[in-house]
Amino acid sequence: MSEEAEIGAVVDEMYAMISGPKGPRDWSRQANCFHPDARQIRTWIDGDGRATFRSMGLADYARDTTPFFAENDFFEIEIGRRIDVLGNIAHVWSAYEARTALDDALPERRGVNSIQLFKDPDHGWRIMAMIWDNEREGVAIAPF
């Protein structure tokens, strides 16, 4: 399997892990795609119109999103991807659409995941950091 295919499989697993009908997610799957020291960083615009973020470890992300996934159908579907590799590091730009059902005519939201990976000698490519932002007025995405 090529490095790009291996990296793509990690990104595919990340999307599969969080997507599905309402109910619990199998957080043990994080080990398939994330390094144990990984950070996940959600960004948004606060009530004062200022950019802000929340940085989470894997346990933080699972704890913070479990109530949402328990109550909501959520399917994050990749609509574009660009992979750059240099030695033991890779960067993936991954555009997505979030839907409450796979057959929704329009997505609930769209955005971009910026994903940085490390080629772990024992476990292969693993996500070290992921930061994302949703599309909004003045911030549009285009598939890569």
Side-chain angles (χ1 to χ4, degrees):
M1 183 182 292
S2 73
E3 285 195 329
E4 284 200 4
E6 289 176 19
I7 292 164
V10 169
V11 173
D12 292 344
E13 173 68 2
M14 180 273 300
Y15 280 114
M17 180 188 69
I18 63 170
S19 296
K22 67 181 171 184
R25 298 300 191 257
D26 180 359
W27 296 115
S28 70
R29 292 175 73 180
Q30 286 180 323
N32 298 332
C33 47
F34 288 92
H35 187 278
D37 294 330
R39 302 302 298 169
Q40 293 172 282
I41 306 158
R42 182 174 77 89
T43 68
W44 70 94
I45 301 298
D46 70 14
D48 295 325
R50 295 178 50 88
T52 192
F53 71 95
R54 171 153 166 70
S55 179
M56 298 164 275
L58 299 180
D60 298 325
Y61 179 81
R63 183 193 65 240
D64 288 1
T65 60
T66 291
F68 172 82
F69 291 137
E71 298 295 323
N72 297 279
D73 297 330
F74 180 80
F75 298 90
E76 197 166 272
I77 300 143
E78 188 177 53
I79 58 172
R81 176 186 293 173
R82 187 180 86 208
I83 299 174
D84 296 306
V85 180
L86 177 70
N88 294 316
I89 62 172
H91 182 252
V92 178
W93 287 105
S94 178
Y96 62 84
E97 292 181 342
R99 298 173 182 273
T100 56
L102 290 173
D103 59 355
D104 283 349
L106 296 173
E108 172 203 350
R109 64 179 166 252
R110 295 171 11 129
V112 171
N113 291 311
S114 173
I115 306 166
Q116 295 77 47
L117 301 95
F118 167 69
K119 188 174 186 179
D120 185 299
D122 297 321
H123 303 289
W125 290 102
R126 291 294 180 264
I127 298 170
M128 292 300 299
M130 187 168 96
I131 186 169
W132 65 94
D133 200 356
N134 292 327
E135 184 177 52
R136 61 187 170 279
E137 188 174 326
V139 178
I141 65 164
F144 305 101

